[in-house]
Amino acid sequence: MKSSKYISKYTELSVNTIRVLGVEAISKANSGHPGIVLGAAPIMYSLFRNHLNVNPKNPNFFNRDRFVLSAGHGSALLYATMLVSGFSSISMDDLKNFRKLDSKTAGHPENILLPGVEVSTGPLGQGVAMAVGLAIAEKKLANRFNTYTNLIDHYTYCLFGDGCMEEGIFYEAISIAGKLNLNKLIMLYDSNKIQLDGKVEDSTKTNVKKLFKSVGWNYIKVSDANDVNAISSAIAKAKCSRKPTVIECCSVIGYGCRLQNTNKCHGAPLTPEQVNELRSNLKYKVPPFTIHNNVLSDFSILEKRGKKFQKEFNLNINIIENKNLSLYKEFFDLIQNTYNFSIEWYKNNQHIDKGATRNIFGDVLQTYLENNPTMLTLNADLSGSTKVTYKKSLAVNKDFFDAQNINLGVRELAMEAIGNGICAHVGCRAIGSTFMSFSDYCKPALRVGAISHLPMVTVYSHDSITVGEDGPTHQPIEQLQSLRAVPNHYVIRPANYDECVAALYLINQNKTRPISIITSRGDFKQYQGSFVDALKGGYIIKENKKHDINIIATGSEVAVAFDVCERLAKKSIKAQIISMPCLELFNEQSEKYIDSVLGDKPIVSIEYGTTAAWYKIADYAVGIDQFGKSGKPDDVVNYFKLDGKQISDKIIKWYSNKNKKRR
């Protein structure tokens, strides 16, 4: 292969090394997806060897280019590429342990396991959305800190396939990227026209060029994905574009093996015989799990380029420090993942007699946003109702990134996944919002965020049947418990001002898990809470040392619990009330604290949602285990027998029966 700017005398050997290493890892594991490894290896070579600005010896340096493998099933392709590229975070033993228990080289890439993997991917299409989020963060930070020099100046690359493009989130995400003109986002399309069940044309008819152009993208086509020079030239052209760019690389799935261009090589390991046949077809004679020195030499340019890029970044930091110390300190705090919060901001609050927590949280959020200019609100066309928007800021648009609100339209899933991408870029955070009944649209990306330890925040307002007239489709029933079922995730349902401020504090301190804030549409009577105790997830909000029962409630149902408590007292049943804004946080407390709150008296829970999970704590759970009704809020509550009097009657009956059984 003749030399050029993008091709060396070792290019063919390097590409085939990526192919064979990836396939060998898959075959050793007897699990994986060899088709993309063989077909897309030249794409990865072109990007990593010729363009990507990273330091493989320091893969997390701040101003690196970001690469997202949205087609996460091609993880062996990424691991093999990282290995030949000289990434210090991965070894040949790691590759040999591909898909083994506790290996860095998991079945799909996980950012928490392997430095150099930017985000965890697997559910198709989500990587594309996270790449959009990373590109938004880059542009926002550049707008904030590039006054004196190009401190923030990197690209986001993403490799995706036909499967990604068939998911709905893909269309949601690329529409936003085009609207915001994210010109430093470059996506590489491994276009092999094959998927697991057969040909793409069996299920899909899309004019890719027209699709991308219709949403404001630049489109480039490379007819042969084995043409490294053509791919590299296309990437160079894309870097000069004023729009986001997609490069369609027409590849052959399973290139070089006997199953090439068929779905049979998509997700099944090659047999030892087929691997040997592949080696013969590629004329590849390097021993198994070995990298020829010429390949290491070929990729040495990546480390040289990356170190030079990192040195330039460090010089630019010094320029900022000398020009504007305040801006430098702000940037230094952000790269340390430190954001601003002061309890003093909230000490002079006026007592609220009655209010909706969507309004209360929206109000306390304003001061936080004002003091954290790289915190972005993501609006799924509902900020007027959820109150999650920065009132002093306009909305971001392609020509104006000096704002903190981003209008995403009715795209809840993309909102959550784009937010994950923003949070994956140190220096930026995101808080999205929608109605709680629509949390089901967000759930797939929330789950990936929890796996990835990303601190995305989502506010879900309109939290119960008290939504009223909008009816069952908008009245969440099972959503609270389904959100609580997601591991590594806080669900906070504040009942008052203090708990809203505590939720903000937790948002500020948290670095490793998503947080869902649940707020009410309707007003309810406010009772004094405790900021300090709310940080423990649950606390006694109304104490009675001679109580007969404990009542646990969350959110607006805390006010209902106070009403119930008064009614029970008239029937000689003394109740103590526990506010439980965050069950997950409460369960993390010491056994001594948990016992001090729950005590040894019978426990009743009150929450306008499904009851089953409460029986882990409660002896009796009051809630609703069927879909809602359309009607005025009070009428709906009365229909389900969930007002203060009706609940107290239920508890009296239960308590009486309980005492009879004891006798």
Side-chain angles (χ1 to χ4, degrees), residues 465-475 627-637 639-640:
I465 56 170
T466 57
V467 171
E469 291 91 339
D470 278 328
T473 61
H474 282 53
Q475 293 172 9
F627 293 119
K629 285 278 191 180
S630 180
K632 292 186 181 303
D634 289 345
D635 291 342
V636 176
V637 169
Y639 176 87
F640 288 109

Side-chain angles (χ1 to χ4, degrees), residues 71 124 160-167 189-195 200 204 208 248:
L124 293 176
F160 72 94
D162 294 294
C164 292
M165 199 163 67
E166 290 169 359
E167 290 285 2
Y189 173 25
D190 176 31
S191 178
N192 58 46
K193 310 304 180 189
I194 299 291
Q195 55 194 99
V200 170
T204 304
V208 177
E248 181 175 9

Side-chain angles (χ1 to χ4, degrees), residues 282-301:
L282 297 177
K283 299 178 182 178
Y284 186 80
K285 299 179 181 179
V286 180
F289 290 107
T290 302
I291 303 173
H292 197 285
N293 285 335
N294 288 341
V295 174
L296 297 175
S297 175
D298 192 26
F299 271 98
S300 64
I301 189 173

Side-chain angles (χ1 to χ4, degrees), residues 252-277:
V252 176
I253 189 170
Y255 178 84
C257 77
R258 70 171 71 166
L259 302 173
Q260 73 174 33
N261 209 30
T262 72
N263 62 318
K264 293 180 181 179
C265 64
H266 172 86
L270 300 186
T271 65
E273 179 188 0
Q274 290 169 341
V275 173
N276 288 333
E277 187 177 65

Side-chain angles (χ1 to χ4, degrees), residues 348-612:
N348 295 323
N349 66 295
Q350 295 180 343
H351 177 68
I352 302 168
D353 292 322
K354 194 173 184 180
T357 45
R358 63 168 174 166
N359 294 325
I360 297 170
F361 185 81
D363 287 344
V364 299
L365 180 63
Q366 299 307 305
T367 305
Y368 185 77
L369 292 171
E370 184 175 1
N371 286 277
N372 290 281
T374 61
M375 180 82 166
L376 299 170
T377 75
L378 306 182
N379 168 29
D381 202 45
L382 285 174
S383 66
S385 291
T386 65
K387 310 304 180 184
V388 178
T389 186
Y390 185 28
K391 296 174 184 177
K392 294 182 180 179
S393 175
L394 299 172
V396 166
N397 63 52
K398 66 183 180 66
D399 300 315
F400 181 69
F401 255 73
D402 192 23
Q404 288 176 250
N405 303 316
I406 302 182
N407 293 332
L408 300 180
V410 187
R411 298 182 174 101
E412 294 93 347
L413 177 53
M415 174 190 74
E416 192 76 16
I418 287 170
N420 283 340
I422 291 171
C423 292
H425 195 302
V426 174
C428 253
R429 289 278 183 92
I431 177 168
S433 68
T434 186
F435 291 172
M436 188 172 157
S437 59
F438 305 150
S439 63
D440 294 328
Y441 284 127
C442 301
K443 191 72 65 60
L446 167 61
R447 185 174 186 273
V448 170
I451 290 170
S452 308
H453 294 193
L454 297 174
M456 171 63 180
V457 180
T458 312
V459 177
Y460 299 108
S461 73
H462 294 54
D463 63 350
S464 75
I465 56 170
T466 57
V467 171
E469 291 91 339
D470 278 328
T473 61
H474 282 53
Q475 293 172 9
I477 301 297
E478 75 281 15
Q479 277 77 10
L480 254 176
Q481 297 299 355
S482 67
L483 286 169
R484 287 177 178 142
V486 179
N488 193 45
H489 171 223
Y490 285 143
V491 179
I492 306 174
R493 192 177 183 219
N496 50 50
Y497 181 91
D498 296 289
E499 292 180 13
C500 284
V501 175
L504 258 184
Y505 178 80
L506 289 167
I507 288 169
N508 187 77
Q509 297 300 108
N510 170 59
K511 296 178 175 63
T512 59
R513 64 178 81 195
I515 292 180
S516 294
I517 310 291
I518 315 301
T519 62
S520 73
R521 173 182 182 265
D523 294 347
F524 59 91
K525 189 173 181 180
Q526 294 288 297
Y527 292 89
Q528 184 69 46
S530 168
F531 167 78
V532 173
D533 290 336
L535 295 176
K536 299 173 185 174
Y539 63 100
I540 298 169
I541 193 170
K542 179 179 173 58
E543 187 176 28
N544 186 335
K545 292 184 178 179
K546 296 182 179 180
H547 62 285
D548 300 305
I549 63 171
N550 277 312
I551 297 176
I552 295 178
T554 72
S556 53
E557 283 83 270
V558 170
V560 177
F562 272 87
D563 183 19
V564 169
C565 185
E566 290 179 9
R567 294 176 185 276
L568 291 176
K570 294 175 182 177
K571 299 294 183 179
S572 300
I573 300 175
K574 296 181 286 295
Q576 180 169 263
I577 302 173
I578 299 167
S579 180
M580 191 73 73
C582 183
L583 266 168
E584 300 81 17
L585 195 55
F586 181 72
N587 288 331
E588 291 175 3
Q589 304 309 306
S590 68
E591 186 177 344
K592 181 179 179 181
Y593 178 76
I594 292 173
D595 289 344
S596 73
V597 173
L598 298 181
D600 58 0
K601 297 296 175 67
I603 295 173
V604 176
S605 66
I606 302 176
E607 187 172 72
Y608 290 171
T610 51
T611 59

